[in-house]
Amino acid sequence: MELPQMPELMGLSLLLGLLALMATAAVARGWLRAEEETCSRSTGQKANGLPLDKSLRSKKQKQHQRNRKEKPQQHNFTHRLLAGALKSHSGNISCMDFSSNGKYLATCADDRTVRIWSTKDFLQREHRSMRANVELDHATLVRFSPDCRAFIVWLANGDTLRVFKMTKREDGGYTFTANPEDFPKKHKAPIINIGIADTGKFIMTASSDTTILIWNLKGRVLSTINTNQMNNTHAAISPCSRFVASCGFTPDVKVWEVCFGKKSDFQEVVRAFELKGHSAAVHFFAFSNDSRRMASVSKDGTWKLWDTDVEYKKQQDPYVLRTGCFEEASTMPCRLALSPDAQALALASGSSIHLYNTRRGEKEECFEQVHGECIADLSFDITGRLLASCGDRAVRLFHNTPGHRAVVEEMQGLLKRASNESTRQRLQQQLTQAQEALRSLGALKK
């Protein structure tokens, strides 16, 4: 038997050994690369303080956050007379309304919610609110019912009224339930205001053309008013519930009486009187709490306080008590609020507010850049001590120092003429309260 030659065996062994070595090296390189990637990923996670299994989720969340539109920063405002700020809405607030019992403030915003705030918390650090959701829409206007057991809103997309009922719970909160059916669509132009009569007999809606509708509470139109003012800029119901008024392109404010019978049955709407005295279009107007006074602001650059406690059925016309200058009104739209006692007047243009004493017609306070947007609504609370404004995602509350000063001036004048001791004591008490309020705010003039 012949043995294989040695050179051939050695060559075969070397070839097999080389192939085995190359395979081992390839496996080792792959293993090392995998180890490096694992170590690098683990090190990055540890540096960020994240568990291994949350790394990918964290990266996705960060990417999602970058893609999301950043929320606008909340506008900051400070002033010595700022009493507080209500901040719970995530969208811009378009309307406010104080309840007739003075306990609540309703606000609506484009975040699809209506919030009900407790007024007793206004001067506290924390402000509580209850939320009512507006399904598949958002409200642009809101108004309480006279009994404070319901509120109505105007729907931005639905172009109609929706009624929400408020049911009190055992824990003191409320449940909000929308009526199954909204009011029928009747207006052909954008809505500028809505209102409910304090008697609860009718609802008013006004659009920017020349139309005002009077409804019953079940959604039936009782009367249609054509204001003949080219266009409407504002309309409102008087606190006494007798009148509906409007202003617009013409230089006057027109007032109608909504008449009901002895059995509360609707009869008719008749022209009552007009406020004539401005020389240009009227931007806005407001009533005092007793409806005996009205205030208006016009494009002619003036505001006026009117005595409307007249016998219009005997052809007696309202007359001007005071005229003041407000140049901003000649160049831009303005809003107006009249305190319940008609002693103070607030005018808003852009994002600024100006406070006037109506007894003297002088401007006493000015708040500039109050909101990040133009002021959308302006209103005194029912006590007249606070002024509320909205124009971004917050409601800001101000102390009404012109109102307190007007009370001081009025009481001092009445005290000089008072002859009865009990009357003098009552007047002195009101004078002292107003002076103390001003002193606590650092606004008492020496």
Side-chain angles (χ1 to χ4, degrees), residues 198-254:
D198 281 352
T199 56
K201 293 181 179 179
F202 68 93
I203 292 173
M204 177 218 72
T205 57
S207 52
S208 61
D209 45 16
T210 60
T211 305
I212 297 176
L213 297 181
I214 306 298
W215 310 71
N216 68 8
L217 301 186
K218 295 182 179 180
R220 182 171 66 87
V221 175
L222 301 175
S223 180
T224 301
I225 302 172
N226 183 357
T227 64
N228 292 312
Q229 292 175 310
M230 297 290 287
N231 67 281
N232 299 330
T233 56
H234 184 56
I237 303 173
S238 64
C240 68
S241 299
R242 286 181 61 190
F243 305 114
V244 168
S246 74
C247 65
F249 183 77
T250 58
D252 50 18
V253 178
K254 297 182 179 181

Side-chain angles (χ1 to χ4, degrees), residues 45 49-61:
Q45 292 164 7
L50 295 173
L52 185 62
D53 60 345
K54 293 185 179 180
S55 176
L56 294 176
R57 274 187 294 168
S58 176
K59 288 183 179 179
K60 289 181 180 179
Q61 287 173 357

Side-chain angles (χ1 to χ4, degrees), residues 71 101 130 171 242 278 299:
K71 291 183 178 179
N101 60 12
M130 298 171 286
D171 62 1
R242 286 181 61 190
H278 287 293
K299 197 174 181 180

Side-chain angles (χ1 to χ4, degrees), residues 69-235:
K69 184 178 178 180
E70 292 185 1
K71 291 183 178 179
Q73 292 293 320
Q74 182 72 276
H75 178 73
N76 292 321
F77 173 82
T78 58
H79 194 278
R80 61 183 178 83
L81 295 181
L82 182 65
L86 311 180
K87 300 177 181 180
S88 284
H89 281 289
S90 60
N92 286 345
I93 303 169
S94 57
C95 185
M96 309 176 296
D97 189 46
F98 284 98
S99 61
S100 58
N101 60 12
K103 293 182 178 180
Y104 303 107
L105 172 69
T107 57
C108 64
D110 57 14
D111 59 6
R112 295 187 174 183
T113 68
V114 174
R115 289 193 176 271
I116 309 297
W117 308 81
S118 174
T119 58
K120 68 180 182 180
D121 297 335
F122 278 1
L123 301 182
Q124 306 299 320
R125 294 187 64 180
E126 299 293 330
H127 304 109
R128 295 177 296 172
S129 68
M130 298 171 286
R131 185 182 68 187
N133 295 321
V134 182
E135 298 295 337
L136 305 177
D137 211 324
H138 72 269
T140 58
L141 297 163
V142 59
R143 295 288 179 260
F144 274 111
S145 65
D147 60 5
C148 305
R149 295 180 180 178
F151 59 85
I152 61 172
V153 300
W154 185 263
L155 300 177
N157 300 322
D159 286 327
T160 187
L161 282 174
R162 178 172 294 174
V163 179
F164 284 82
K165 293 183 179 179
M166 301 169 57
T167 306
K168 197 162 189 176
R169 303 192 303 263
E170 293 182 358
D171 62 1
Y174 281 90
T175 299
F176 306 102
T177 308
N179 277 10
E181 294 184 5
D182 298 330
F183 276 37
K185 296 182 181 181
K186 295 291 184 179
H187 284 279
K188 297 179 180 179
I191 290 297
I192 57 172
N193 202 17
I194 62 176
I196 307 179
D198 281 352
T199 56
K201 293 181 179 179
F202 68 93
I203 292 173
M204 177 218 72
T205 57
S207 52
S208 61
D209 45 16
T210 60
T211 305
I212 297 176
L213 297 181
I214 306 298
W215 310 71
N216 68 8
L217 301 186
K218 295 182 179 180
R220 182 171 66 87
V221 175
L222 301 175
S223 180
T224 301
I225 302 172
N226 183 357
T227 64
N228 292 312
Q229 292 175 310
M230 297 290 287
N231 67 281
N232 299 330
T233 56
H234 184 56

